[in-house]
Amino acid sequence: MQIFNWANNFFLEFGFSENVASYGNLVVNTIVLIIIAFLLDYIFKRILIYTLSVMASRTKTKFDDILVSNKTAKYIAHLVPLLFVFKTVPIILRDFTRWEILFEKGVKIYIIFLSLWIIRSVFNALKDFLKEKPRFSDKPIDSYIQVIMILLWMFGAFSFLSVLFSIDETTFLAAFGSISAIIILVFRDTILGFVASISVSVNDMVRIGDWITMEKFGADGDVIEINLATVKVRNFDNTTTTIPTYSLISDSFRNWRGMLKSDGRRIKRHVLIRSKSVRFVTPEELEKFKKIQHLTSYIEHRQADIDKFNSANAIDKSVIINGRNLTNLGLFRKYLTQYVQNHSGINKDMMLMIRHLQPTEKGIPLEIYCFSKDKVWENYEYIMADILDHVIASVAYFDLELFELENVISD
């Protein structure tokens, strides 16, 4: 107490009035207080940073290392000089009641926001720490941290206004309830994002690292971040698309995680066969087709069944349409089935078929439906292209034609 009176006594001894001496004492003590506060801040900041760095280097956990990188010790060190100032200001300003109240409020407000800053740095460190854990790497940690920080910042704002205007907490909460509709309107996106984040997490709809497609927003790539307001998707052209989080529960999107976890990636392509090129196969042509290795066994067994049926029913084969017959399209379909089944890139344990689709004005769609073993995009495209190349090149061997739009050039 006496240390803060020496300046006042000094001014009185030199003949200054008591009023002037009081103001001189205030100025001198304020300067001394600021110097001591800066010294305490510098000393404790060095001590805490050094201590935490040493502890971090000697422990196995990475959490304390992340605390150091997030400057948590630096923010905590600011509390020591601040508390010193908070305890000392009433002594220095004992003769200036009006100023004492003002400075006290200022210090309290600074303590509130500094505390929030410390908590924020700790939560940021916790977020970085959890993201390094495989168990939490695909969880929307950002959303949870943001929700907690929004609640804390709201509490800080209430405390700030309560201290600034000396409002009782009960009165303040009553007023807050009255304007809750406006607050809900202002924080509409945040509330929707919070609900969406919880729904996405609970239902395991999207994880960080998932490949999603959302045509409405032009998104087609990997999810790199999920937070309260947005979901960031890195597209395959290395652009970034930002999607509102609540759109994941209000709109339709495609998540490719199931495909990546399955045993194969679907190949579903078709070629259009001209209808006029489809015909019955003559016995002479069958001998030619028997030379195709994938068809040799099939033709022998199938033709034997057909001949047996035609003989048993006394079918007149002088007209080829009578009875049962093989067609060039049927043989081509069987050939493709055997070819795809023997392809090294196809998973034989999953669905595999070559089928007709509904005929159209452009011809008969012949669809290849199967699953590749390799799900990597580049390799998948190579396998699919390899099969389609062979299909297109094989059509001519069966006297079939592919449909193509012909360019009409007018004179």
Side-chain angles (χ1 to χ4, degrees):
M1 182 71 178
Q2 295 299 323
I3 191 173
F4 294 106
N5 290 326
W6 69 271
N8 185 61
N9 296 331
F10 175 80
F11 285 111
L12 289 174
E13 288 178 1
F14 275 87
F16 289 97
S17 64
E18 185 173 344
N19 189 35
V20 173
S22 297
Y23 277 102
N25 184 53
L26 174 62
V27 173
V28 172
N29 287 336
T30 301
I31 295 173
V32 172
L33 180 63
I34 293 172
I35 293 173
I36 294 174
F38 272 104
L39 287 174
L40 288 174
D41 182 73
Y42 178 80
I43 293 170
F44 277 93
K45 186 164 59 177
R46 292 290 181 181
I47 292 173
L48 285 176
I49 292 175
Y50 176 76
T51 303
L52 188 59
S53 298
V54 172
M55 291 176 59
S57 63
R58 294 182 179 180
T59 56
K60 294 182 179 180
T61 179
K62 289 186 177 180
F63 182 67
D64 43 17
D65 298 282
I66 299 174
L67 282 175
V68 173
S69 63
N70 278 278
K71 302 180 181 179
T72 305
K74 176 184 175 181
Y75 298 136
I76 294 175
H78 292 324
L79 284 174
V80 177
L82 197 58
L83 293 173
F84 170 75
V85 171
F86 182 72
K87 294 294 184 180
T88 309
V89 164
I91 300 174
I92 296 177
L93 300 176
R94 66 186 182 281
D95 297 328
F96 302 88
T97 308
R98 187 176 177 182
W99 286 22
E100 180 183 350
I101 295 173
L102 182 63
F103 276 99
E104 186 177 349
K105 284 184 177 182
V107 173
K108 285 182 178 179
I109 290 171
Y110 189 71
I111 289 176
I112 290 170
F113 285 104
L114 181 59
S115 300
L116 288 172
W117 210 257
I118 293 171
I119 295 172
R120 178 177 175 273
S121 68
V122 172
F123 275 118
N124 283 338
L126 180 63
K127 176 185 68 175
D128 296 338
F129 176 71
L130 291 177
K131 283 186 174 182
E132 292 183 358
K133 298 290 184 181
R135 182 181 175 184
F136 298 99
S137 61
D138 56 355
K139 298 296 186 294
I141 305 297
D142 290 325
S143 297
Y144 302 140
I145 299 298
Q146 287 176 351
V147 169
I148 296 172
M149 286 310 304
I150 286 174
L151 295 175
L152 289 174
W153 279 110
M154 290 178 64
F155 176 77
F158 297 155
S159 302
F160 165 75
L161 295 174
S162 180
V163 170
L164 185 62
F165 299 106
S166 302
I167 303 174
D168 181 68
E169 286 79 3
T170 305
T171 305
F172 193 87
L173 288 175
F176 176 73
S178 303
I179 61 172
S180 57
I182 299 175
I183 293 174
I184 290 174
L185 182 62
V186 172
F187 292 100
R188 172 182 173 275
D189 290 342
T190 302
I191 294 171
L192 288 174
F194 172 65
V195 174
S197 296
I198 297 299
S199 179
V200 166
S201 178
V202 171
N203 297 315
D204 198 21
M205 297 168 63
V206 177
R207 302 175 188 170
I208 295 175
D210 281 357
W211 168 17
I212 68 170
T213 301
M214 205 167 188
E215 295 179 359
K216 178 179 178 179
F217 296 96
D220 185 16
D222 299 326
V223 176
I224 57 175
E225 183 180 331
I226 302 175
N227 54 45
L228 271 185
T230 59
V231 175
K232 290 184 180 180
V233 179
R234 182 186 291 116
N235 299 313
F236 294 124
D237 58 359
N238 288 326
T239 59
T240 301
T241 300
T242 302
I243 302 170
T245 305
Y246 58 82
S247 295
L248 294 179
I249 59 176
S250 63
D251 296 318
S252 176
F253 70 96
R254 180 179 295 178
N255 191 331
W256 296 85
R257 188 201 315 160
M259 179 273 294
L260 294 173
K261 286 189 173 183
S262 68
D263 295 328
R265 184 170 177 178
R266 188 182 70 175
I267 295 175
K268 186 174 181 286
R269 291 289 186 274
H270 70 266
V271 292
L272 293 169
I273 304 295
R274 284 185 180 271
S275 301
K276 67 178 183 180
S277 65
V278 180
R279 59 179 177 76
F280 295 116
V281 179
T282 64
E284 294 77 16
E285 291 175 321
L286 280 178
E287 296 302 319
K288 181 185 69 172
F289 288 129
K290 282 183 181 180
K291 296 179 180 180
I292 300 175
Q293 293 182 351
H294 287 315
L295 291 178
T296 304
S297 177
Y298 171 77
I299 291 176
E300 290 176 352
H301 288 86
R302 186 66 175 163
Q303 190 60 39
D305 292 339
I306 291 174
D307 290 343
K308 183 178 179 181
F309 173 84
N310 290 337
S311 299
N313 291 275
I315 302 298
D316 179 13
K317 293 304 297 175
S318 61
V319 180
I320 194 170
I321 196 174
N322 292 335
R324 296 172 62 182
N325 299 278
L326 291 172
T327 64
N328 58 346
L329 182 57
L331 289 174
F332 183 51
R333 182 164 48 86
K334 182 62 180 178
Y335 169 76
L336 291 183
T337 301
Q338 294 295 323
Y339 172 76
V340 174
Q341 284 179 342
N342 286 276
H343 196 286
S344 59
I346 299 302
N347 190 335
K348 283 78 175 176
D349 297 326
M350 301 184 74
M351 175 70 74
L352 190 157
M353 62 179 173
I354 310 298
R355 61 172 183 162
H356 290 298
L357 300 181
Q358 178 68 31
T360 68
E361 69 279 3
K362 296 179 181 180
I364 303 171
L366 190 63
E367 184 180 78
I368 297 94
Y369 191 102
C370 57
F371 291 82
S372 67
K373 293 179 181 177
D374 199 326
K375 293 167 284 185
V376 177
W377 188 15
E378 182 180 2
N379 299 336
Y380 161 79
E381 292 288 348
Y382 175 82
I383 293 170
M384 183 168 58
D386 184 59
I387 292 175
L388 264 294
D389 289 346
H390 188 87
V391 170
I392 294 170
S394 302
V395 169
Y397 283 84
F398 294 84
D399 292 329
L400 294 167
E401 297 178 11
L402 292 177
F403 174 83
E404 289 182 345
L405 289 173
E406 296 180 357
N407 293 326
V408 179
I409 303 175
S410 58
D411 295 334

